[in-house]
Amino acid sequence: MGTTVRFGISLDEKLLESFDELIEEKRYMNRSEAIRDLIRASLVENRVASEDAEVVGTVTLVYNHHVRDLSDKLTEHQHAHHDQIISALHIHLDAHNCLEVLVVRGPTRDVKRIADELIGVKGVKHGKLVMTTTGEGLH
């Protein structure tokens, strides 16, 4: 980590009050840590917006495993992208529904494409992609 630099910030009083409420709600130790977290979140968001950026993402899928050939189709997609899908977690939610969480790594464009393919499989009830940085270059 680099040298810590102190700087001042000017805010509207009401905005600061709202920020302090958020700090308390999120259980930050102080304003500095909350501001650091907001800056990091903005940097990550900016980084993953680049189609060439190396990212890590989770693809969360909820589906009924009784739907004909659905499990096989999802498995085929996962095998087709075995280099990018680095982990998978399968949970039986009840007698019919399953939750799968896949960890995908690669350039943003590839991670989005893989997620769209999986989420778009007929029979998937809900799917969501969440992307973040690999941590490289983030302080």
Side-chain angles (χ1 to χ4, degrees):
M1 223 164 123
T3 304
T4 299
V5 177
R6 293 183 183 273
F7 67 96
I9 225 176
S10 299
L11 295 176
D12 176 83
E13 187 176 359
K14 297 259 188 239
L15 180 60
L16 183 57
E17 287 173 10
S18 296
F19 187 55
D20 284 340
E21 289 172 10
L22 178 68
I23 288 170
E24 187 174 330
E25 180 182 313
K26 299 279 188 177
R27 302 196 188 282
Y28 284 105
M29 299 303 279
N30 53 53
R31 289 176 180 161
S32 292
E33 190 54 44
I35 290 170
R36 282 190 288 270
D37 201 32
L38 289 170
I39 291 169
R40 286 185 199 110
S42 183
L43 292 170
V44 168
E45 184 178 325
N46 188 58
R47 185 166 297 160
V48 301
S50 167
E51 292 293 308
D52 295 324
E54 181 75 10
V55 299
V56 177
T58 57
V59 182
T60 303
L61 305 170
V62 175
Y63 61 92
N64 181 330
H65 75 269
H66 292 299
V67 172
R68 182 180 166 94
D69 297 327
L70 178 56
S71 294
D72 290 339
K73 289 176 184 174
L74 291 173
T75 299
E76 285 177 28
H77 277 290
Q78 291 176 42
H79 280 280
H81 301 291
H82 65 84
D83 289 342
Q84 293 95 0
I85 297 176
I86 58 177
S87 184
L89 171 67
H90 183 95
I91 299 169
H92 304 281
L93 297 173
D94 57 35
H96 306 285
N97 294 295
C98 294
L99 170 77
E100 275 195 18
V101 180
L102 307 167
V103 179
V104 185
R105 183 176 185 159
T108 298
R109 81 172 70 69
D110 293 348
V111 169
K112 284 181 180 178
R113 182 178 42 78
I114 292 166
D116 289 343
E117 287 175 10
L118 291 162
I119 293 167
V121 173
K122 185 177 179 181
V124 172
K125 291 182 173 185
H126 180 258
K128 184 167 183 150
L129 168 64
V130 176
M131 290 189 298
T132 190
T133 177
T134 62
E136 186 71 29
L138 191 63
H139 306 281

